[in-house]
């Protein structure tokens, strides 16, 4: 088990290096650089050139890359020109917001997909299954940002049931129970919007897994032993079908990253996703590259998590 | 001498394909006695498994007509609750492919233990484990204590089939159905499993239905043989009669397609064509007639019935009287 995990973690090192090189190259190819946002148009070009030289922006790319990585290791992600503060500090504030939003979304995703997938798979080709499958098709066809806008307009503005922006109501004292509830209240609509759309792939996946497992030979063996239908579902089909879903958990996180970018922007929720879109629109160079790097690392970690979960729950992979 | 354990009368099992029902088992009648091995032979797709599944009540979307009298009780339309009391306790089944017949996420001990638990919930866990280890020993698995905690993927195909057999006999069933138990195994393992089956046949006081397309297995194991073609029994007789005096063209062709057989004096006969698929099965006349085109149509019955040509020996359709192999035609 440990050997497997260690080996799996070691594989990540070249992945992360490759990721950082790619991000660095893409960042270099973007118009503008770390300076362009900072510059006051009134400063004369000579001073700018001087600054460029001083900041090392005229060095060959590999030296620039080495410096960038060195700074990364020291926790220096550069300065945000828009917020006039270190990127580390800026992201730090928002990281927690995004993590909480993602966690709530994950809980909702499973709370929706597991029962729906189970029902749909067990009673496949009944009207109940058709209703659920119909929902998944709608979910697949609806772009998240449009759905989120509709949710915001309907539940936020028209009905006024939910706040339409922010992560907490100003004035609520942090640390109190009321504060926690207020934050959940603010997260609920964006999380629900995201969950209702992203969960459909898990519903479909689970449904197919169950239909697949239902036809496996070992189900016949169980039936031939005299196991009742409910026991067959609870003991034999459920575990075998949930296994790939559990393994998918890490990748689910990856999917959420894309979702938060839209949803946070639409609900003006101060998280990393919102910051990311903003930083691109406003050419906030260091913020954009840092966030891309973070998202990339989160994706790699998600895949790692999936593999570790799978190796824990599947005896065929489990290494003693 | 012995009493009928299982008596099937005019069994018809149909599957629904696009709004129509097609019979995969059509008008099958047979009996299995205690302490008797009935072999069912026939090519792939002739309905052997469909028959076995009907007897075990394992079809979930099939129409079953006729009677399945097991110890005098008709199971043809038994409820799921009734079935789950009988299956695994009074009837056990061994499946074709041991590689897929076991739950990949459950240890061997629990899989066999489940069969015991389901029909006897009063046995303590410790006792159950002892019983399982006993069973593992009985089916010839070395180191049963270790195998108890292993997962299926840690065992070879032959060992897994032994586990499947142990599961099937866990509650000493009175009827054991083996659906091609050796087909998926390689030759040396095949003979080991057959030896085990033979030994179990001696030890157990059970009726056994042995489905196979291997005539060697039939000769070795069976007391009586039913030959199936396209969902019907075309010939049924005791094993000795069937090998010595086969009558139906299909039986003769089958026997003749095996080397070292009496009838295959000079040339091996290859049966032309294949079993037609369910939807395109001829429902009228002799179903085998299309595969022996050199026999005149007038030789077949319009509505072929089983004829008892000697006590206990039944043959379907009168075409057997006029049958000859094409190469014999010249003479
Ligand atoms: N559930 C089902 N639905 C529809 N058709 C089926 C079903 N099960 C079996 N059949 C059809 O019934 C016919 C008999 O199949 P069966 O599995 O009983 O053959 P078999 O004699 O056991 O063959 P094999 O030697 O390959 O195991 C085949 O044409 C098959 O396609
Ligand atoms: Mg079969």
């Amino acid at each position: 088990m440990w050997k497997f995990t260690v080996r799996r973690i070691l594989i990540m090192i070249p992945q992360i290096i490759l990721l950082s090189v790619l991000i660095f190259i893409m960042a270099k190819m973007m118009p503008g650089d770390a300076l362009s946002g900072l510059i006051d148009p009134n400063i004369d070009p000579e001073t700018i050139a001087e600054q460029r030289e001083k900041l090392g922006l005229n060095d060959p790319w590999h030296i620039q890359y080495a410096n960038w990585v060195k700074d990364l290791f020291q926790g220096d992600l550069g300065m945000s020109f828009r917020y006039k503060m270190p990127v580390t500090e800026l992201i730090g504030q928002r990281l927690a917001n995004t993590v909480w939003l993602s966690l709530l979304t994950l809980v909702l995703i499973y709370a929706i997909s597991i029962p729906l997938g189970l029902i749909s798979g067990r009673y496949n080709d009944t009207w109940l299954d058709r209703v659920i499958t119909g929902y998944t098709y709608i979910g697949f066809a609806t772009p998240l940002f449009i759905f989120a806008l509709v949710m915001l307009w309907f539940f936020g503005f028209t009905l006024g049931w939910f706040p339409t922006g922010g992560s907490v109501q100003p004035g609520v004292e942090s640390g109190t129970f009321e504060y926690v509830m207020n934050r959940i209240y603010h997260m609920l609509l964006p999380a629900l919007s995201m969950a209702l759309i992203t969960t459909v792939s898990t519903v479909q996946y689970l449904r197919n897994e169950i239909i697949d497992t239902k036809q496996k030979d070992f189900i016949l063996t169980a039936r031939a032993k005299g196991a009742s239908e409910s026991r067959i579902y609870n003991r034999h089909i459920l575990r075998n079908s949930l296994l790939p879903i559990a393994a998918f958990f890490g990748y689910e996180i990856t999917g959420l990253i894309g979702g938060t970018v839209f949803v946070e922007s639409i609900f003006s929720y101060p998280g990393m996703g919102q910051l990311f879109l903003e930083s691109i629109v406003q050419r906030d160079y260091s913020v954009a590259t840092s966030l891309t790097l973070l998202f990339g690392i989160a994706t790699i970690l998600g895949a790692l998590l999936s593999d570790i979960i799978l190796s824990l729950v599947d005896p065929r992979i489990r290494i003693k | 001498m012995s009493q009928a354990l299982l008596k099937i009368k005019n069994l018809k099992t149909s599957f629904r394909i696009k709004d129509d029902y097609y019979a995969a088992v059509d008008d099958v009648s047979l009996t299995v006695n205690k302490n008797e091995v009935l072999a069912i032979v026939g090519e792939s797709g002739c309905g052997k498994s469909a028959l076995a599944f009907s007897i075990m009540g394992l079809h979930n979307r099939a129409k079953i007509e006729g009677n399945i009298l097991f110890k005098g009780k008709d199971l043809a339309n038994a409820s799921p609750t009734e079935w789950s009391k009988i299956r695994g306790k009074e009837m056990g089944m061994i499946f074709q492919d041991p590689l897929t017949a076991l739950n990949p996420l459950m240890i061997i001990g629990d899989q066999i233990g489940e069969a015991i638990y389901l029909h006897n919930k009063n046995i303590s866990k410790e006792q159950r484990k002892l019983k399982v280890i006993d069973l593992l020993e009985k089916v010839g698995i070395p180191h049963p204590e270790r195998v108890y905690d292993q997962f299926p993927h840690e065992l070879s195909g032959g060992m897994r089939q032994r586990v499947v057999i142990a599961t099937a006999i866990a509650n000493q069933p009175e009827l054991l159905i083996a659906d091609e138990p050796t087909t998926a195994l390689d030759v040396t393992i095949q003979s080991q499993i057959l030896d085990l089956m033979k030994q179990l046949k001696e030890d157990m006081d059970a009726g056994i239905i042995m489905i196979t397309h291997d005539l060697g297995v039939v000769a070795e194991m069976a007391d009586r043989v039913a030959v199936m073609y396209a969902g019907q029994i075309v010939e049924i007789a005791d094993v000795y009669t069937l090998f010595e005096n086969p009558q139906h063209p299909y039986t003769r062709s089958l026997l003749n397609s095996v080397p070292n057989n009496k009838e295959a004096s000079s040339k091996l006969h290859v049966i032309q064509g294949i079993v037609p698929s369910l939807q395109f099965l001829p429902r009228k006349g002799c179903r085998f007639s299309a595969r022996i085109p050199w026999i005149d149509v007038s030789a077949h019955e319009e509505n072929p019935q089983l004829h008892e040509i000697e006590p206990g020996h039944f043959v379907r359709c009168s075409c057997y009287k006029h049958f000859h192999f094409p190469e014999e035609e010249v003479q």
Side-chain angles (χ1 to χ4, degrees), chain A residues 217 221 223-225 231 236, chain B residues 87 100-101 103 111 114 119:
Chain A
D217 284 352
T221 310
R223 216 167 260 146
K225 280 187 232 180
R231 189 183 169 90
H236 295 277
Chain B
R87 278 199 294 251
T100 54
N103 187 335
Q111 308 209 31
E114 187 180 25
H119 300 286

Side-chain angles (χ1 to χ4, degrees), chain B residues 281-289 301-304:
Chain B
L281 216 75
R283 302 283 166 185
K284 265 192 181 158
C286 179
R287 295 184 181 189
F288 195 57
S289 59
E301 276 171 63
E302 216 167 281
N303 190 12

Side-chain angles (χ1 to χ4, degrees), chain B residues 13-17 22-25 42-53 59-62 96 179-180 183 211-213 228 231 275-279 281:
Chain B
T13 302
S14 323
F15 298 112
R16 196 183 166 137
I17 305 170
Y22 295 91
V25 176
E43 283 162 288
S44 204
C46 67
K48 304 181 300 288
S49 298
L51 173 62
F53 280 37
H59 289 300
N60 40 9
R61 289 189 195 182
Q96 180 167 347
D179 188 357
E180 309 196 27
T183 310
I211 294 173
T212 178
H213 46 232
M228 268 185 96
V275 183
S277 77
L278 213 47
Q279 275 165 286
L281 216 75

